[in-house]
């Protein structure tokens, strides 16, 4: 519990809290310290008088001016309270924990007033008194109740009391005759502390005493001190008990507060229910913070191990690089006096690098240790707060504690528990330069890159495409020029390069369906090519026909419409196989699979056809416009058709008008042949017009555009039509 001690000390006096009060900013301060840092504002310049005189300065303006003055003069050691023309400027002091504290500038009362004060009584708080939080520097004006308007933090007071009791001297046995020994147990029924000899002699575990409950001394001391829960009273109505909780104001209230109307329109809940709810929220928040603290402890162990690894240069050379030292000395001895001077420069550089590494790691250890101590202290403090039996007192501070716990957990964010420095010295001496270039001798990188790591969670296959992602190993500092991705042929054949470049993610299209591929990646730089990553085995989508049929008619793909890329007016149903639209304008939707190789055929049936619209069918690039008819831009190749005729369209160019339209129940077929680079359309199993488009290559998605007068259903996994395989296809062409 030692880490919790800072949470229990006043930011002004640096001692344990005594009669702490809660400021509106949720920070705590001793009541006596609060009285000491009060500042009296002149009546003529107070916010109340400013409002009364119509100056237009609001409370927020006043507080902002005050806050700005504190920050602007904090470094000089003096603080003035902005917004007051005649406010005195007084030197500030520092509390033991480093927080600046402004002493009171309240004028001393006249002599005759001192004579009227009772001995030991505190002077009344002057009107227009202002208090500034010593932690967040927020300022506020006290009302007529003065410091009595701030709630007392009884929970914090109880935690401080338990902490101080735990630090007290060990409890002694109450039955030892001469020098009392340290007590080992306490009997809750007898209310007596026993050492082991006295317990065996005076409290044997038999007879009526066998039913008595023996507890550890510390627990017994707490049970002695524990009293029934105190009933909290309202700060507004001191005779009323706090029994409800205002959700909007986030504070306990009494029935009189509700009757007076201040909280009459607010949502109010039972005090006990909110107490349990906030305790649960704080416990849940502590779970995440506890995980962060555990990671921080493990991280500190890792950093300390790095310090042991980063030894002085001579030790590093002896323990980790005897061969490196021998090679370095031999080369330097062979290069006469000039090389000896250069050797000294290089060793000096290594020493600076060593010092830099040690400094960075030690700074990170120091920073992480302080943060872990603060985190542990906050956790212990919160656990002690949860033990309190005072609902209203707990609810007064629970919101602030929950925010602090979440904020502290956020500070252990991504990157906090990652070493900032690598412990290895990746330096290799190159002895190739000639003697006349001795003064240009320097360390160069002579290591090849490490093997990349495949990120399995981001690698996937879809239909006949595969996406692979990889990264460099953690803490790898070796420079690289790029990566080489290799795949086999899907039939246990040799690997071949499919990508060379600097990207760390790659999608390979045009693979065979129902095939198993092996993938691996390696990195390269000027020194050579590194080792391969682990081999990843991937399976492409299955085909709709047996493997023997693939050789003759090509691969068959199954796909649906893609809701992610569709226009927002598109309506999908039937497992994304049926599409309609709620707009009178044409809207585009694409399939969820792309094609770049082979022969593919799919059909669409017209489920509803009203008012003779002209839907468009075809293929498109991934970045096609979604709010115009398919084929209006240069990203789509389509056939649009009404009830009488059809046209082919690409880049808003209309060609090949053909008689023959569609109606309800009609079937539109689309045949895409990459082996010949052509696109053909069919209506009711008959080819519509000539070959629609030629010289197609690249990646294409099935696509359609329609409005609210049409509903279409997609059919995939279909064989190539007989007329194409028997009549138009060139026997020498491969359709696989």
């Amino acid at each position: 519990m030692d880490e919790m001690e800072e949470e229990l000390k006043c930011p002004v006096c640096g001692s344990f809290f005594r009669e702490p009060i809660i400021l509106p900013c949720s920070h705590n301060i001793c009541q006596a310290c609060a009285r000491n840092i009060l500042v009296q504002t002149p009546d003529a310049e107070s916010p109340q008088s400013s409002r009364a005189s119509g100056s237009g300065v609001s409370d927020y303006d006043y507080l902002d001016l005050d806050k700005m003055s504190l920050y602007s003069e904090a470094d000089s050691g003096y603080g003035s309270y902005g917004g007051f023309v005649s406010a005195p400027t007084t030197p500030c002091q520092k509390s033991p924990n480093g927080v600046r504290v402004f002493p009171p500038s309240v004028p001393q009362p006249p002599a005759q007033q001192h004579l009227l004060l009772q001995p030991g009584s505190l002077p009344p708080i002057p009107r227009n008194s202002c208090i500034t939080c010593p932690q967040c520097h927020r300022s506020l004006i006290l009302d007529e109740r003065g410091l009595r308007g701030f709630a007392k933090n009884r929970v914090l007071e109880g935690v401080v009391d338990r902490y101080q009791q735990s630090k007290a001297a060990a409890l002694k046995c109450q039955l030892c005759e001469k020098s009392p020994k340290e007590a080992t147990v306490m009997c809750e029924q007898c209310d007596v502390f026993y050492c082991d000899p006295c317990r065996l002699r005076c409290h044997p575990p038999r007879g009526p005493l066998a039913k008595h409950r023996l507890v550890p001394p510390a627990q017994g001391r707490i049970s002695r001190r524990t009293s029934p829960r105190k009933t909290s009273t309202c700060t507004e109505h001191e005779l009323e008990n706090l029994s409800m909780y205002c959700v909007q104001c986030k504070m306990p209230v009494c029935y009189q507060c509700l009757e007076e109307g201040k909280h009459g329109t607010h949502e109010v809940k039972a005090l006990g229910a909110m107490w349990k709810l906030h305790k649960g929220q704080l416990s849940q928040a502590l779970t995440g913070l506890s995980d962060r603290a555990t990671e921080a402890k493990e991280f500190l162990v890792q950093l300390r191990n790095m310090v042991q690894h980063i030894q002085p240069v001579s030790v590093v050379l002896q323990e980790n690089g005897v061969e490196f030292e021998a090679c370095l000395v031999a080369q330097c001895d062979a290069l006469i006096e000039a090389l000896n001077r250069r050797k000294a420069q290089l060793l000096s550089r290594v020493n600076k690098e060593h010092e830099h590494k040690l400094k960075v790691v030690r700074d990170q250890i120091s920073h992480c240790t302080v943060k872990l101590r603060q985190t542990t202290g906050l956790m212990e403090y919160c656990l002690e707060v949860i033990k309190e039996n005072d609902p209203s007192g707990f609810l007064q501070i629970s919101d602030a504690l929950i925010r602090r716990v979440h904020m502290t957990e956020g500070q252990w964010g991504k990157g906090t528990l990652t070493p900032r420095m690598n412990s290895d010295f990746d330096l290799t001496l190159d002895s190739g330069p000639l003697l006349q270039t001795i003064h240009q001798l320097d360390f160069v990188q002579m290591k090849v890159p490490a093997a990349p790591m495949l990120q399995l969670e981001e690698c996937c296959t879809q239909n006949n495409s595969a996406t692979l992602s990889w990264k460099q190993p953690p803490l790898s500092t070796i420079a690289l020029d790029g990566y080489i991705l290799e795949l086999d042929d899907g039939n246990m054949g040799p690997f071949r390069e499919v990508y060379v470049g600097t990207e760390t993610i790659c999608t390979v299209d045009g693979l065979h369906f129902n095939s198993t591929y092996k993938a691996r990646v390696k990195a390269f730089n000027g020194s050579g090519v590194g080792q391969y990553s682990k081999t990843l085995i991937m399976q492409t989508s299955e085909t709709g026909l047996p493997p023997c049929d693939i050789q003759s008619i090509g691969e068959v793909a199954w796909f649906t419409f893609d809701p992610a890329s569709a226009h927002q007016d598109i309506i999908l149903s039937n497992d994304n196989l049926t599409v309609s639209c709620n707009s009178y304008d044409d809207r585009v939707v694409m399939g969820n699979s792309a094609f770049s190789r082979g022969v593919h055929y799919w059909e669409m049936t017209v489920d509803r056809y009203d008012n003779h619209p002209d839907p468009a069918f075809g293929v498109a690039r991934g970045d096609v416009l979604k709010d115009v008819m398919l084929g209006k831009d240069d990203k789509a190749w389509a056939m649009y058709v009404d009830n009488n005729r059809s046209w082919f369209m690409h880049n808003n160019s209309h060609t090949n008008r053909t008689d023959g339209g569609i109606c309800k129940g009609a079937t539109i077929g689309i045949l895409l042949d990459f082996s010949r680079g052509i696109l053909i359309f069919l209506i009711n199993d008959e080819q519509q017009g000539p070959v629609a488009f030629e010289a197609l290559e690249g990646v294409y998605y099935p696509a359609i555009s329609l409005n609210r007068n049409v509903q279409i259903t997609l059919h995939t996994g279909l064989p190539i039509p007989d007329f194409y395989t028997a009549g138009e296809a060139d026997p020498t062409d491969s359709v696989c």
Side-chain angles (χ1 to χ4, degrees), residues 4-24:
M4 184 178 62
E5 186 168 313
E6 291 300 322
E7 296 281 342
L8 309 181
K9 290 185 178 181
C10 174
V12 176
C13 63
S15 303
F16 287 109
F17 282 107
R18 298 182 61 185
E19 298 182 351
I21 59 176
I22 307 174
L23 299 179

Side-chain angles (χ1 to χ4, degrees), residues 14 104 115 217 238 242 353 383 420 458 475 515 533 619 629 650:
L115 296 176
E238 297 183 354
L242 296 172
E353 178 72 9
L383 292 174
R420 300 173 184 170
E458 298 184 15
L475 302 181
S515 300
S533 66
V619 296
M629 178 185 286
H650 168 65

Side-chain angles (χ1 to χ4, degrees), residues 647-658:
W647 292 263
F648 301 147
M649 183 167 61
H650 168 65
N651 199 16
N652 205 25
S653 175
H654 309 253
T655 60
N656 297 102
R657 170 179 168 175
T658 304

Side-chain angles (χ1 to χ4, degrees), residues 319-375:
E319 296 180 355
N320 302 328
V322 175
E323 295 181 1
F324 174 79
E325 179 186 14
C327 181
L328 177 63
V329 173
Q331 290 174 332
C332 291
D333 290 343
L335 295 178
I336 59 171
E337 184 178 358
L339 186 56
N340 287 329
R341 290 195 298 266
R342 188 59 178 169
K343 179 182 68 174
Q345 296 174 4
L346 296 178
L347 290 177
S348 175
R349 177 180 168 185
V350 173
N351 188 57
K352 290 180 180 179
E353 178 72 9
H354 150 258
E355 295 295 338
H356 173 68
K357 288 178 180 289
L358 283 180
K359 183 178 183 302
V360 171
V361 177
R362 285 171 176 166
D363 289 346
Q364 193 172 10
I365 289 177
S366 176
H367 175 74
C368 194
T369 301
V370 172
K371 186 178 292 185
L372 178 61
R373 182 170 63 251
Q374 294 172 349
T375 300

